[in-house]
Amino acid sequence: MPLYLCSSPKNLIAEERKPAIAKELTHIHCDVTGAPSSFVHVFFVTPDEASEGSVSLFGSIRGGRSDDQKTEITSRMSGAVARLAGLDPATVSMGTVDVPAKWAMEGGDIMPEPGEEAAWFAAHAAKAAAS
Amino acid sequence: MIRCSCLIQAGQVAEKQQTNLEAGLTKIAQTYFSDSAEVGWTHIAKGSGFTDSKPSQSSIISMNVPADTAQETRVDVLHAICDLWSAETGCHVDDVVATAMSA
């Protein structure tokens, strides 16, 4: 968590562009929120019901981000997808949903609240070392 | 009905394992919510899943649970999902992301 799900019709986003898009979305998330990049998942899907010629980007992010942060994420990410995929920006839409950190588990541990990642990683590493 | 959404990397889970995972999720739903589970699968095509900007090995399982579910129960459910995935697929627990969501 976060998970960014990028939905588009098949072949609208070239396969060779996906690594660069994933890298840029990961960078933007970390730049805006300060979250560690190892938490960031970017998956591309091609659902049957995808609208022709358009991309839908949806982010499930930990709760606690400010409205300004979410606005910046949405603006920068949708622009990045359009630029890197060679698409008209008007064809890229984006939304986010807040997921309470305490409702999510990664690596067998409840996810930390934003800003508490360092302590989480230390505890996670200690647990792994002890097992 | 407890709805579950599973995003897995294509080729990472064999058909038989997927059947067992679905049975395991149903059992979790029965155990904690006395309800059946409806499981949806999305296979992320090779080259389409990234974690930390690198090719992903992560599975993401989201179970929609009743809004009044206590936090302690959510934690138990999440551990049960992670344990199920690790045991059935042999993946490292670091490659399992689970959520117990409510609307």
Side-chain angles (χ1 to χ4, degrees):
Chain A
M1 189 73 60
L3 167 65
Y4 289 100
L5 207 54
C6 188
S7 305
S8 66
K10 196 172 182 183
N11 299 326
L12 185 65
I13 298 178
E15 294 298 314
E16 63 269 23
R17 301 310 302 159
K18 290 178 180 176
I21 294 171
K23 186 175 181 181
E24 183 64 7
L25 298 188
T26 301
H27 167 72
I28 292 169
H29 182 85
C30 297
D31 187 42
V32 174
T33 67
S37 60
S38 57
F39 280 167
V40 185
H41 307 273
V42 179
F43 291 176
F44 296 85
V45 292
T46 55
D48 293 337
E49 67 274 16
S51 300
E52 191 175 339
S54 68
V55 176
S56 174
L57 187 58
F58 190 76
S60 299
I61 65 177
R62 279 181 291 160
R65 308 305 186 192
S66 69
D67 287 345
D68 284 349
Q69 285 177 307
K70 285 184 269 193
T71 298
E72 185 176 354
I73 285 172
T74 302
S75 172
R76 288 175 62 182
M77 286 192 179
S78 55
V81 169
R83 185 179 76 254
L84 293 169
L87 299 170
D88 180 342
T91 64
V92 181
S93 61
M94 183 172 180
T96 63
V97 65
D98 290 352
V99 178
K102 66 181 182 179
W103 289 3
M105 180 172 282
E106 192 150 338
D109 290 318
I110 291 294
M111 295 216 61
E113 296 295 331
E116 298 178 358
E117 291 88 353
W120 187 91
F121 276 111
H124 188 67
K127 193 170 102 175
S131 62
Chain B
M1 181 73 76
I2 301 294
R3 295 191 174 187
C4 300
S5 167
C6 306
L7 287 85
I8 58 175
Q9 308 302 318
Q12 205 172 39
V13 174
E15 196 173 324
K16 171 68 173 167
Q17 289 175 317
Q18 188 170 315
T19 301
N20 293 343
L21 290 168
E22 199 158 323
L25 290 171
T26 298
K27 188 176 178 186
I28 291 169
Q30 289 282 0
T31 300
Y32 291 96
F33 306 110
S34 302
D35 205 347
S36 56
E38 181 182 274
V39 183
W41 297 90
T42 300
H43 295 82
I44 306 301
K46 190 169 189 282
S48 292
F50 300 86
T51 295
D52 197 2
S53 301
K54 297 184 278 287
S56 181
Q57 299 184 52
S58 295
S59 296
I60 298 184
I61 306 99
S62 183
M63 181 175 276
N64 290 319
V65 305
D68 61 356
T69 302
Q71 176 62 17
E72 186 178 83
T73 303
R74 287 181 199 267
V75 173
D76 289 345
V77 167
L78 293 169
H79 276 301
I81 293 171
C82 289
D83 290 347
L84 167 68
W85 234 258
S86 298
E88 185 59 41
T89 70
C91 72
H92 194 282
V93 71
D94 283 351
D95 292 326
V96 184
V97 181
T99 62
M101 295 286 293
S102 298

